[in-house]
């Protein structure tokens, strides 16, 4: 060994003389001089050249032989003197038969001399080194991006749209903020966006200061409202007037709700201010159409009449009048809708055209038209097909240069204005001819691929578009917020930074430049390392194979793969050549490791060892003859064992039927056929253990599970399995087990006969589940009452669910302590239509009735404990009870039964579900309702009404908001009331009515993601000075009426809408949902109408 100090103390390199002792080795096997012949090496190089070119022009394949020595036909080895070099070459896969003669595409792990496809074709793939370092330097005319902190794309997009306004930015810079406040972090963020030399900035300090969860995506429109409200509150606390009114001066506008009486024509006006205009995109194709819908008059009539001060309730018209517009005009496009039929939100993908220059004079009552012209400055876009997921980006316009930029978090790219996203003017053909509305359009900077695109057709630049122009229209199906800035003649002035912000940004830029220089140095080092590795990989790939006369060294295959791929050059991944795990106990290469190592040249091994080190050097000659000898010797023993086994099995197969002297279990023979001798001994070395009973005697009928073999076969089995249990052919089975088997067979036959007799004599009792007399053919008879619990036991025994036959019929529960009947069964027995009326108590748990013939059979067979109770029906149909009813005990019994129907647990409730609308069937133009009977199990009287509605929803898919439950014509109200409080009994028949779909689909702010708390836990709502004790009261707000409910309530106490956590589970199949287009309305106007009517009334 070259480095013996690295070997474990238990491993010692032995010479062949030390291994074999005094016994001389055969002359053909000199000590440690086993080497690959020159012919083998030449064959290997020849096969390697065949990988490059196939001279014959066709691929020739040769079936690879098995790894066993017999398959290689090198001869068995019973003594050490039989061992030859060929045996060693065979075990170590160095024989000629292992040379591949086909063009291979991967490395052959069965061939230690096959050295191609170890990663030479793609050297250094783990060294992820870019040819050119991605520059993080900000371009001179490009804006700065914002890094996404997790799920904060909505925040980044909104901050970018606010930043492009120079007046707002200057106002933020002028604010004298506390160093630990949110405003200070906003100042630092805006300062970095304006003066940073980096291509992007990380707004994490601002997000952490606001205490916003970075793992939960929120709605951008909601964040805008919360953020602007927070800033306005902060600026109002300033002493200087210009800064105090910054938010209202830039974003606040005025409007009036004008209501005109239809009788006296007197208009009532109520002023209101706004910071954004919320508009529905439903039914509109352009921004102008959205605005016309926003200010359009709506009629107040019917149940929604207007109460005039002069005329009382009258029909009227109501509209919105924009009286004052702010310098910065925000439009929020309501694309999210909540569908009460599905209990989920959806997104409207209507394509909307919005102008670069907007003239608001047609929509306002302003005296000065010059204040009505606006320039589009920012567009906030929600990319995604669904309301619950997606991504936010911003498209902004540089106020000084007029260029448009796309800001996708940290990625900043200039917008490519093409005809697919921009039109110079609008006409009816452009607006109406839109193609497929389902066309994927992520944002208006991406160009959808035409369905049929000719060679001459493609994305064309719009020559009429000028980046300094304000004409034309953008269009998008994903635009979510639009920001317009009033056009003025004033020059755009870049905001100035206070000294402390200039210093802060200066330090950031210095730190960035230092990090940039460090990145460049590291990249240069990586490039040099990569280039050096590629050169070495190419060089030593050609020198990898050991040439003639070079015995070479063994190296792990995986190590060679890792070196060629460059993985060993990655910091922390470097390791030495580890060959100790591949050595045998004789300190030579273990035959078991042949598939895990390769023999390489001495020159390559020296290079690898000098640069990475090695724990032990194993030359190509270190093949262990001792291990090879034991392999062949064990193989020889296995072959002898297999031959012996096949001989035994062949003799067993010759036997026919029970012709033999000894019994052998069939299951054991199956194991013996498919397992080795050692495996069979571990599984069952007693052979016939499965044929003996608990009395250590042959089991009853054991011969059907055994095979008869001859004396010769049994003698051979005994040699291999000395613990085998002998079972001669003439040995009789266990007498005890035989008797038990016979008796069990007789008892089973008698049991079946008894059940058959019972079924034939109790036909009506076993086949009738109800107690009504109408179910029996002979009305004129005597009918006896049988306890229902006893009948259940009888049915279980007849159905063989239990082996215990019911005992004596106990009718004592029918009688009181005065030996009189507790109740009157006649009303229930004579009830022709039990579903029409409600019985006075749950009779199905008390009794069932049988005719006279079956009663006589029951009494004769099972006996009677107590007295009988019967109803005698004469020929005229007049019933007579055979026992007198106790007037004292009957009311008490009835009261107890009534109580059991009110206080219950894990009981059944019976409901009739009345489907309407989309579930109804139509015949000849008439609508017919569908009625379905439903039984719900596991109900308790402590369950609430909303819980019961949720159970109904699980069975019928009817949303709880659309359910009305009735008992005796009275609707159950109070979603949080218990069934006990509502007096719902187990005998009550509940009617579930599905309401018609006349509920409007509600436009709303998207429901909160994640935990459903929105920005409630952030400092934007709690205030920076508030402590934990000042958090909002526990509870939840209804999304329908905004009522604050207790956290324990599962539905709104005002409108009975399900709790949001429950509502999110109300998923409905699309095939079950009727088209709701006719029912969708603009709810923004609905909310305005309700709020104004409430105030005026």
């Amino acid at each position: 060994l070259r480095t013996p100090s690295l070997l474990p103390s238990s491993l010692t390199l032995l010479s062949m003389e030390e291994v074999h002792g005094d016994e001389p080795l055969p002359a053909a096997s000199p000590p440690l001089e086993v080497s690959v012949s020159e012919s083998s090496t030449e064959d290997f190089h020849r096969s390697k050249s065949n990988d490059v070119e196939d001279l014959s022009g066709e691929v020739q394949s040769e079936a690879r032989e098995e790894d066993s020595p017999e398959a290689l036909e090198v001869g068995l080895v019973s003594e050490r003197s039989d061992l030859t070099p060929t045996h060693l070459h065979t075990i170590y896969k160095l024989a000629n038969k292992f040379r591949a003669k086909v063009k291979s595409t991967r490395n052959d792990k069965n061939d230690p001399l096959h050295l191609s496809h170890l990663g030479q074709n793609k050297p250094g793939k783990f060294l992820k080194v870019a040819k050119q370092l991605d520059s993080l330097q900000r371009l001179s005319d490009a804006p700065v991006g914002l890094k996404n902190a997790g799920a904060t794309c909505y925040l980044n997009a909104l901050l970018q749209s606010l930043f492009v306004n120079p007046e707002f930015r200057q106002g933020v810079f002028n604010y004298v903020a506390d160093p630990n406040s949110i405003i200070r972090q906003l100042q630092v963020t805006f300062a970095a966006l304006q003066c940073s030399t980096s291509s992007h900035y990380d707004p994490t300090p601002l997000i952490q200061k606001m205490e916003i969860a970075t793992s939960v995506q929120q709605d951008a429109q909601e964040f805008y409202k919360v953020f602007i409200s927070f800033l306005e509150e902060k600026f109002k606390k300033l002493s200087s007037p210009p800064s105090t009114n910054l938010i209202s001066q830039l974003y606040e506008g005025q409007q009036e709700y004008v209501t005109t009486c239809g009788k006296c024509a007197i208009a009532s006006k109520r002023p209101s201010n706004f910071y954004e205009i919320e508009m529905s995109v439903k039914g509109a194709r352009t921004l102008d159409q959205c605005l016309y819908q926003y200010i359009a008059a709506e009629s107040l009539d019917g149940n929604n009449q207007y109460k005039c001060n002069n005329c009382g309730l009258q029909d009227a018209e109501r509209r919105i009048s924009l009286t004052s517009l702010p310098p910065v005009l925000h439009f929020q496009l309501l694309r999210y809708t909540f569908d009460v039929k599905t209990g989920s939100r959806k997104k409207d993908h209507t394509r909307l055209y919005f102008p670069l220059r907007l003239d608001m004079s047609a929509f306002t009552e302003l005296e000065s038209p010059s204040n009505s012209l606006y320039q589009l400055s920012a567009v906030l876009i929600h990319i995604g097909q669904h309301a619950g997921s997606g991504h936010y980006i911003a498209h902004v316009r540089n106020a000084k240069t007029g260029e448009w930029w796309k800001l996708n978090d940290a990625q900043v790219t200039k917008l490519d204005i093409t005809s697919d996203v921009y039109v110079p003017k609008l006409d009816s053909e452009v607006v109406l001819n839109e193609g497929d509305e389902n066309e994927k359009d992520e944002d208006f900077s991406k160009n959808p691929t035409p369905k049929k695109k000719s060679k001459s057709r493609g994305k064309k630049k719009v020559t009429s578009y000028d980046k300094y122009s304000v004409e034309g229209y953008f269009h998008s199906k994903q635009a979510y917020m639009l920001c317009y800035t009033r056009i003025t003649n004033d020059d755009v002035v870049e905001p100035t930074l206070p000294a402390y912000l200039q210093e802060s940004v200066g330090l950031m830029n210095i730190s960035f430049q230092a990090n940039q220089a460090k990145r460049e140095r590291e990249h240069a080092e990586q490039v040099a390392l990569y280039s050096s590795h590629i050169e070495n990989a190419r060089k030593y790939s050609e020198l990898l194979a050991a040439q003639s006369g070079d015995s070479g060294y063994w190296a792990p295959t995986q190590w060679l793969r890792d070196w060629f791929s460059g993985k060993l050059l990655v910091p922390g991944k470097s390791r030495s050549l580890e060959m100790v795990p591949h050595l045998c106990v004789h300190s030579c290469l273990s035959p078991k490791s042949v598939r895990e190592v390769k023999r390489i040249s001495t020159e390559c091994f020296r290079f690898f060892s000098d640069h990475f080190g090695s724990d032990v050097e194993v030359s190509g000659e270190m093949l262990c003859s001792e291990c090879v000898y034991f392999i062949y010797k064990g193989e020889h023993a296995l072959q002898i064992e297999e031959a012996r086994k096949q001989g035994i099995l062949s003799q067993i197969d010759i036997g026919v039927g029970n012709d033999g002297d000894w019994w052998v279990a069939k299951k054991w023979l199956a194991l013996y056929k498919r397992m080795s001798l050692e495996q069979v001994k571990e599984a069952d070395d007693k052979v016939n253990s499965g044929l003996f009973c608990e009395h250590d005697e042959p089991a009853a009928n054991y011969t059907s599970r055994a095979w008869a073999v001859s004396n010769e076969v049994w003698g051979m089995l005994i040699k291999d399995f000395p613990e085998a249990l002998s079972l001669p052919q003439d040995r009789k089975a266990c007498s005890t087990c035989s008797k038990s088997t016979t008796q069990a067979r007789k008892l089973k036959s008698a049991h079946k006969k008894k059940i058959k007799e019972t079924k034939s004599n109790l036909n009506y009792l076993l086949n009738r589940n109800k107690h009504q007399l109408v179910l029996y053919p002979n009305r004129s008879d005597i009918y006896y009452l049988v306890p229902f619990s006893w009948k259940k036991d009888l049915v279980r025994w007849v159905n063989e669910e239990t082996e215990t036959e019911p005992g004596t019929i106990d009718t004592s529960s029918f009688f009181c302590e005065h030996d009189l009947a507790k109740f009157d069964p006649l009303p229930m027995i004579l009830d022709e239509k039990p579903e029409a009326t409600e019985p006075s108590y749950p009779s199905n748990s008390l009794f069932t009735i049988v005719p006279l013939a079956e009663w006589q059979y029951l009494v004769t067979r099972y006996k009677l404990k107590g007295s009988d109770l019967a109803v005698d029906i004469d020929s005229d149909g007049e019933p007579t009870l055979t026992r007198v009813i106790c007037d004292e005990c009957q009311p008490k019994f009835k009261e107890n039964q009534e109580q059991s129907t009110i206080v219950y647990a894990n009981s059944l409730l019976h409901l009739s579900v009345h489907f309407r609308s989309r579930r109804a069937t139509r015949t000849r133009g008439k609508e017919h309702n569908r009625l379905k009977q439903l039984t719900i199990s596991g109900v308790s009287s402590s369950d609430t009404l909303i819980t019961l509605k949720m159970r109904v929803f699980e069975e019928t898919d009817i949303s709880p908001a659309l359910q009305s439950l009735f008992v005796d014509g009275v609707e159950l109200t109070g979603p949080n009331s218990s069934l006990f409080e509502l007096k719902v009994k187990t005998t009550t028949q509940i009617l579930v009515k599905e309401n018609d779909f006349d509920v409007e689909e509600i436009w709303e702010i998207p429901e909160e993601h994640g935990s459903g708390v929105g920005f409630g836990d952030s400092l934007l709502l709690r205030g920076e000075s508030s402590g934990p004790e000042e958090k909002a009261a526990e509870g939840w707000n209804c999304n329908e009426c905004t009522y604050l409910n207790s956290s324990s309530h599962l539905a709104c106490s005002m409108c009975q809408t399900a709790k949001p956590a429950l509502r999110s589970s109300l998923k409905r199949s699309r095939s079950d949902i009727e088209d709701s287009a006719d029912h969708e309305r603009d709810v923004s106007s609905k909310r305005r109408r309700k709020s104004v009517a409430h105030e005026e009334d």
Side-chain angles (χ1 to χ4, degrees), residues 43-68:
D43 290 341
F44 166 69
H45 290 293
R46 188 180 299 111
S47 65
K48 188 175 180 181
S49 63
N50 289 339
D51 292 342
V52 181
E53 58 179 349
D54 188 358
L55 300 178
S56 61
E58 62 181 5
V59 178
Q60 301 188 12
S61 63
E62 176 179 285
R64 181 170 295 280
E65 302 291 336
E66 298 181 3
D67 293 346
S68 62

Side-chain angles (χ1 to χ4, degrees), residues 186-317:
L186 179 64
Q187 291 175 338
V188 174
T189 302
F190 277 5
L193 292 179
Q194 178 173 317
C195 303
S196 176
T197 57
S198 174
S199 62
H200 67 274
Y201 173 74
D202 187 358
T204 299
L206 173 61
I207 297 173
Q208 292 177 346
K209 183 60 64 176
M210 291 189 293
E211 297 186 6
I212 293 178
T214 59
S215 60
V216 181
Q217 177 163 304
Q218 304 287 357
D219 179 63
Q221 293 181 359
E222 182 182 4
F223 177 69
Y224 168 77
K225 296 176 181 179
V226 173
F227 192 58
I228 288 296
S229 299
F230 172 80
L231 293 179
E232 183 180 26
E233 180 183 355
K234 291 296 182 181
F235 276 94
K236 282 183 178 180
K237 296 180 181 180
L238 297 178
S239 57
S240 56
S243 300
T244 302
N245 302 323
L246 175 67
I247 302 300
S248 58
Q249 289 177 353
L250 290 179
Y251 299 104
E252 184 180 8
Q254 280 78 37
Q255 61 185 8
E256 290 181 342
Y257 292 95
V258 182
T259 307
T260 305
C261 179
K263 184 176 181 180
C264 64
I266 296 179
S268 172
K269 298 181 179 181
R270 184 176 66 86
S272 175
N273 57 1
F274 65 88
Y275 288 88
E276 68 281 329
I277 297 178
E278 296 181 350
M279 300 184 302
S280 169
V281 297
K282 193 69 177 180
R285 305 296 297 176
T286 66
L287 184 62
D288 289 356
Q289 293 176 358
C290 293
L291 285 168
Y292 278 121
Q293 291 181 1
Y294 182 77
I295 65 174
E298 57 178 325
S299 299
L300 305 180
D301 51 18
N303 295 330
N304 195 34
Q305 282 186 326
Y306 166 66
K307 186 177 181 180
C308 179
N309 294 331
N310 298 327
C311 310
L313 288 176
Q314 297 292 334
D315 292 346
E317 285 189 350

Side-chain angles (χ1 to χ4, degrees), residues 813 822-823 828 838-847 889-904 985-987:
S813 61
K822 287 183 179 179
F823 58 92
M828 292 167 283
E838 181 183 338
S840 56
Y841 33 77
S843 57
N844 61 337
S845 62
L846 289 176
F847 68 89
C889 298
Q890 184 185 12
K892 296 180 181 180
F893 179 80
K894 186 175 181 179
E895 182 181 355
N896 293 335
Q897 293 298 313
E898 287 283 353
Q899 186 67 18
S900 66
T901 64
I902 298 177
V903 180
Y904 47 88
K985 308 175 184 178
T986 56
T987 57

